Amino acid sequence: MRPATFPAPSRRGARLRRRRQAEAAARIRTGGAAEARALLAGIDGRHADILRAEAAWELEDWPAVIAGLEPLLPEGAATAQDAGLILRVAVAAARQGDRERLRSLERRYRTMRGQAARALEALVDAPRDPRVLTETVSTYSVIEGSAA
């Protein structure tokens, strides 16, 4: 009879982290953003940071959205995959009236093209009430591996 084998502790921990992240993503999508934040406590990494920011978005916690996503923004030219992150930061900045951050994003990503570029330009040029654009920008999912 062979002794029972168990996954190595590091593999077990990684599996638990992935499971908690998957559960957090599901809770965000079903209206449980606050619970998702609790599930993500103590988990490091890009995917966890994006999930925390997505939960903050659902809770309209604009400073937390910016704090979570801004460090993930690309230094150079933005790709199509970066558009969701950039636009989420832009909407959060607009929602809290941070015009300087909006102008900074516009300068930083002036080479961005297509619908994302038009949305960023509209946010920068918008009157003080950016809620009109929130619906459009919400179609850019920032949860990696998900489709809006």
Side-chain angles (χ1 to χ4, degrees), residues 112-133:
M112 197 164 57
R113 300 283 180 243
Q115 182 181 0
R118 288 188 299 276
L120 180 58
E121 181 183 357
L123 281 165
V124 172
D125 295 338
R128 293 239 178 244
D129 188 3
R131 286 175 282 179
V132 203
L133 295 170

Side-chain angles (χ1 to χ4, degrees), residues 17 19 21 33 38 42 44 46 60 71 95 117 119 125 139-140:
R17 277 191 306 279
R19 188 177 311 133
Q21 289 177 1
D44 293 328
R46 179 181 172 86
E60 298 185 5
R95 293 299 297 266
D125 295 338
T139 63
Y140 286 89

Side-chain angles (χ1 to χ4, degrees), residues 45-59:
R46 179 181 172 86
H47 191 61
D49 290 342
I50 289 172
L51 288 170
R52 271 189 284 279
E54 188 71 7
W57 177 273
E58 293 298 321
L59 296 168

Side-chain angles (χ1 to χ4, degrees), residues 9 11 21 45 58 67 70 75 88 95 110 119 123 127 136 145 147:
R11 286 178 40 205
Q21 289 177 1
E58 293 298 321
E70 202 164 43
E75 290 300 319
R88 289 291 172 115
R95 293 299 297 266
R110 67 180 166 269
L123 281 165
T136 301

